[in-house]
Each structure stands twice: as C-alpha cells, then as structure tokens.
Amino acid sequence: MKTFKNPILPGFYPDPSICRVDEDYYLVTSTFEYFPGVPIFHSRDLVNWRQIGHVLDRPSQLNLDFTPCSKGIYAPTIRYHNGLFYMITTFVVSQTGERRNFYVTATDPAGDWSDPIWLDHAPGIDPSLFFDQDGKVYYTGNRVPPEGQDHPKHNQIWLQELDLESQKLVGPVYGLWDGALKNAHAQEAPHLYKINDYYYLMIAEGGTGFTHAVTIARSKSVTGPYESAKINPILTHRHLGRNHPIVNVGHADLVQTQNGDWWMVCLASRPYGGYYRNLGRESFLVPVSWEEGWPVVNPSKGVIETEMPFPNLPEHRWPKQPSCDHFEGQTLAQQWNFIRTPRGQFWSLTEKPGCLRLKAKKTMLSDVDNPAFIGRRQQHFNFDARTKMKFTPEQHTAAGIVLLQSNQYHFRFEYAQVDQQKLLKLVKREDGEEQVVASVNLNSAELYLKVEARKQAYSFAFAVESEQWQYLVKDIDGTILSTDKADGFVGAYMGLYISGNGHDSDSFADFDWFEYNGWD
C-alpha cells in the first residue's frame, strides 16, 4: 500500500486552511510577526506541496511595525468562488490584543493579492467565509457571548452576512454555538460547509496547546440551531499523553477531492527531548469518512499517524528545492522571511552579485522592531546549517547566524568587536537575560559558520579555511527555542543578522551562501 509521511508541511506552518479548484489544491498558514505574511502552497495530490508565494507580500498590505512577538497575522482561511480567491484573517495589532479582521482577493493564487478590505464590527479571531448555494456569503468568527462568559476563555461562534459589493457585514448577527464540551474554552477556528442537506460547523476547542481538539455540529439552516455531534471531539490527541509523538492536534479544515473522498488538514506538533516543540505547530493531513451524516477521522483509529495511506490521487511531485541558496537571483527565495515589515534598504542581492549583503541598523534582535535579519524555519529535529560570511567588525557592530524563538529567547553566533578585540562569540538570551556562553579571539575578514542540531543538542562551529571546522560550543541545550519555555505561538527560525547594537553604523556583512540540510 502506498503511504505518505506526516507532517505535510514540517516546521512552523500552523492553522492550515485549504481549498480545491478542479484538480488543484491551495493551502495557507499563519505567520504572526513575520513578513511576508501568509505563505500559499499548491498541490495536486494533497501530499506534495510547493510554495507559490505569499498572500501579504507588500508593506501596503501588512504593516507589522512594533507588533509584539506572536501577535500579528492569525489563522487565515482560503476559499474560492466564481473565479476569485479569498483569504480572510485576523491582525492582532498589539500586546493588549486589539484585533482587526480583513480579507484580500486575487484571480491568481500566486498573486498579486489586493490590499486589505477591513471589516468593521467584527470582533474575535479566526474568521472564515462561507459561500452558500443561494448566492449569499457569510462571515463566521468567535466572540465573547453577549450574555457574558460562564468561565475563562468561554467564546461563542457567530455569523453574519457579508455583502461583497459594499464590502461590509450586513443584517442580523447570529450566535451559532458555544462548542461541544462542558466548560470548553477557546472556541475558535470556525469553518462552515454545506454537505447534502446539512450545514456543518467545525471548530477548534480547548486552546492551541495540549488540550486542543476539533469538534463539529450541524443544522438544516445556516443560522441554526446547531446540533452537536455525539461523537465529539472528532479529533484530539490529549488523551494520548505528552509522550505521544504527535500532540496538540486541532484547528482543522476539510476538503473533498475530485474523486469524492474527504480529507482534513490540521495543526499539530512533534515534541522531542521532552515536551519541547522547537518546530512549532506544523500542518498534517488525515483521511475522513462519513457515517450517518457525521465525519469520522481516520476510521478505526481516530488519530493522526506519522505514516498514512496515500490519497486516491495521482502522485505529483515538485522539483526538489536546493539545500544551498547562493543568493544569485534578483529576489529572495520564498523560504526567507523578515521580522516584521522591512523598513529601510538594509539588504541587497545586487550590490555584490552572488551575495546577500546585510547592512547594520541600530535595531537589535532583542528589540520589538525590524532588525537587519532574514531567516527561515527550522523544519527538522536534526539539521546542519552553515554560511560563509565576509565581515570586518567595528566598535558596537556584530554579525553572524541567529537561532531565534523570540526577541527574548534566542542564540546569536556572532562576530563582533569588543574593547578593540575581534571576538567570535555565542550569546544565549533567555527571558531577557544575556550570557556569553563562549568566545574566541579571531581576526579574519572571512569566516565560515555552522550550526548543528541533534535534537535538543545544538553545536556551533567555525572555520577560517573551508571545511577546517573548530567547535566553539558543543551540545548546548536548545529548549529555549521552544514555546514551552518562551511562550507564544511560533516555531524556531534560523537566519543571518547584523546589528549596530543601538548605534548608527556603515558596516555591512556579505553572505556568500546559506546551506540547510535536515532530517528527523
């Protein structure tokens, strides 16, 4: 029997939403404070995915200035109707949780997408759109129940019609469902579907951590009342314990193939080295069947497995992406992201062709701002990442490789000038406190830097001559790169970085290439 391996998108790709157009499938995920926002992927078989762009790739679409870590873009939904793609999402603006919901549209999912259409009087997070057969369009989201909360984080799913012509919510507001479970909390991620004679409302409950779950209800009317499935939750792993290889399963979306089969995408995490989830929340795929009008997830098993039967679709693989980026294009490859909306001309692929040039900014990685950093996700338990850097440090400046969970939790493997000495050092920042773990005096305009991860053991090596590696630090504990220590909702990143550490500087660093090889 042909099988596939979960997750279908390894690394920090949470809150997947999916739609099908004929024989093509499109999927989007959350991005929080990273720019560009909302990567979009294309597949022909539900298993093999290639990124075709980002939905929010222009500063006019996404102003993330001073957005705190793990705020920003939450839980997008993608839908297709009458030749137009829609992506709707929440922008959590500030630390205090101000939330604004908007949607964008495109005729081509690879872009360009429109500027945001902001929706007034749309409280809550995780909005979704539903296109009914009578031509009406409905918005669903979550909110505090009008009569008040019975317990902390008690939410209600609500619905209102969206007038696409005026681009406004119109008509009465309907409270649909408070969830399936007694004292359930964090009811969110609502998706509506019309299947045969019923409207189905699928949501997430229990928070996005260990107690995450997927539940469902149905009604003959889109406005309710909704009947909760007696088999709820239809998917969860919380009963399997924290030592299970796949945990915190939830936040799902359904899709029907052109062959009539049903599948579910959802988020989950793979802890390792204890209950630590450096890779963040990833995207998984699981089959669904229907019994007596209700969905059964992975029949006879009821859980997500690492290896599962391949969908009844022709396998369609995409060309494998190279492990090494030589920075030879005119634009950055799609795996790279900035922290918040990039401000200023701090990077270039043309000033020194064949190199990525990063120019020092005052901003430090510890600031809630836009540092001179480009990064990509850690996607495997084990990896080797390395680069060749040309950089002459001056007073206050530092450049190198960063392993990042947040501004308060990260490692900086950086070459710097300290009191007239040039030092290569490993700085560990945990809960806002910094420690120089190790350092060595060096004086070289070219350096090779390498990071190795063997699960939670991270090692940092350097070389002045190619492949002549020396370890600065071996097997340091990497669990600060997990939200289980750092809090928040994102996974670990690694990237290239330069900073004037609070000072203006004309310094720059040229990175010849960056190579990443990972395995589980």
Side-chain angles (χ1 to χ4, degrees), residues 294-351:
W294 293 107
V296 178
V297 181
N298 195 11
S300 301
K301 296 182 179 179
V303 296
I304 297 175
E305 299 170 280
T306 300
E307 187 168 2
M308 306 198 75
F310 201 92
N312 180 28
L313 295 169
E315 185 174 13
H316 188 101
R317 297 190 180 189
W318 304 104
K320 187 176 180 180
Q321 295 299 305
S323 60
C324 188
D325 190 338
H326 292 278
F327 301 119
E328 293 175 339
Q330 296 297 305
T331 58
L332 286 169
Q334 291 179 346
Q335 71 265 26
W336 295 110
N337 295 122
F338 303 102
I339 303 172
R340 305 178 185 90
T341 306
R343 302 300 184 188
Q345 299 299 317
F346 65 85
W347 66 277
S348 174
L349 292 169
T350 59
E351 289 186 16

Side-chain angles (χ1 to χ4, degrees), residues 116-365:
I117 299 160
W118 298 96
L119 296 173
D120 296 327
H121 311 296
I125 60 172
D126 301 0
S128 185
L129 294 178
F130 171 66
F131 296 84
D132 207 349
Q133 296 167 345
D134 61 3
K136 290 187 176 181
V137 184
Y138 294 96
Y139 172 106
T140 55
N142 74 349
R143 65 178 181 178
V144 172
E147 62 274 15
Q149 293 179 314
D150 292 339
H151 49 273
K153 297 184 180 180
H154 171 206
N155 289 319
Q156 180 190 70
I157 306 303
W158 65 279
L159 173 143
Q160 191 174 12
E161 186 179 348
L162 172 64
D163 182 350
L164 293 179
E165 194 167 319
S166 67
Q167 301 177 338
K168 294 181 179 180
L169 296 174
V170 298
V173 176
Y174 298 91
L176 300 187
W177 196 37
D178 285 14
L181 311 176
K182 185 178 181 181
N183 294 326
H185 70 281
Q187 297 91 333
E188 57 195 24
H191 291 309
L192 269 174
Y193 315 89
K194 180 69 180 295
I195 303 170
N196 297 325
D197 296 330
Y198 284 98
Y199 294 90
Y200 289 86
L201 174 60
M202 189 170 70
I203 73 170
E205 297 186 36
T208 196
F210 180 72
T211 57
H212 214 17
V214 181
T215 59
I216 199 164
R218 70 182 186 185
S219 173
K220 287 290 184 75
S221 168
V222 70
T223 59
Y226 279 82
E227 168 199 5
S228 177
K230 294 180 180 178
I231 58 174
N232 277 322
I234 58 171
L235 180 63
T236 188
H237 279 205
R238 59 191 175 199
H239 60 296
L240 301 176
R242 293 175 184 266
N243 292 324
H244 195 72
I246 301 172
V247 298
N248 61 264
V249 173
H251 199 115
D253 200 3
L254 291 170
V255 68
Q256 187 179 28
T257 73
Q258 60 268 34
N259 298 324
D261 298 327
W262 286 88
W263 288 82
M264 174 186 286
V265 293
C266 62
L267 70 76
S269 295
R270 295 177 292 161
Y272 60 99
Y275 195 81
Y276 297 106
R277 298 165 292 163
N278 298 36
L279 303 184
R281 297 169 302 152
E282 308 173 282
S283 287
F284 289 72
L285 178 71
V286 62
V288 174
S289 67
W290 292 82
E291 294 182 3
E292 299 183 352
W294 293 107
V296 178
V297 181
N298 195 11
S300 301
K301 296 182 179 179
V303 296
I304 297 175
E305 299 170 280
T306 300
E307 187 168 2
M308 306 198 75
F310 201 92
N312 180 28
L313 295 169
E315 185 174 13
H316 188 101
R317 297 190 180 189
W318 304 104
K320 187 176 180 180
Q321 295 299 305
S323 60
C324 188
D325 190 338
H326 292 278
F327 301 119
E328 293 175 339
Q330 296 297 305
T331 58
L332 286 169
Q334 291 179 346
Q335 71 265 26
W336 295 110
N337 295 122
F338 303 102
I339 303 172
R340 305 178 185 90
T341 306
R343 302 300 184 188
Q345 299 299 317
F346 65 85
W347 66 277
S348 174
L349 292 169
T350 59
E351 289 186 16
K352 186 170 184 183
C355 288
L356 169 70
R357 174 165 290 181
L358 290 181
K359 304 174 188 179
K361 302 175 71 173
K362 280 185 176 182
T363 307
M364 297 180 286
L365 202 67

Side-chain angles (χ1 to χ4, degrees), residues 24 28 55 62 84 87 105 118 125 213 221 294 300 393 412 414 447 452:
D24 294 286
V28 293
V55 175
L62 184 59
L84 203 59
M87 190 284 297
T105 63
W118 298 96
I125 60 172
S221 168
W294 293 107
S300 301
R412 301 195 309 272
E414 61 186 21
L447 276 179
E452 301 172 350

Side-chain angles (χ1 to χ4, degrees), residues 64 87 106 114 145 166 178 246 285 357 377 410 418 493 499:
L64 290 165
M87 190 284 297
S114 71
S166 67
D178 285 14
I246 301 172
L285 178 71
R357 174 165 290 181
R377 293 158 176 83
H410 58 253
V418 180
Y493 264 70
S499 177

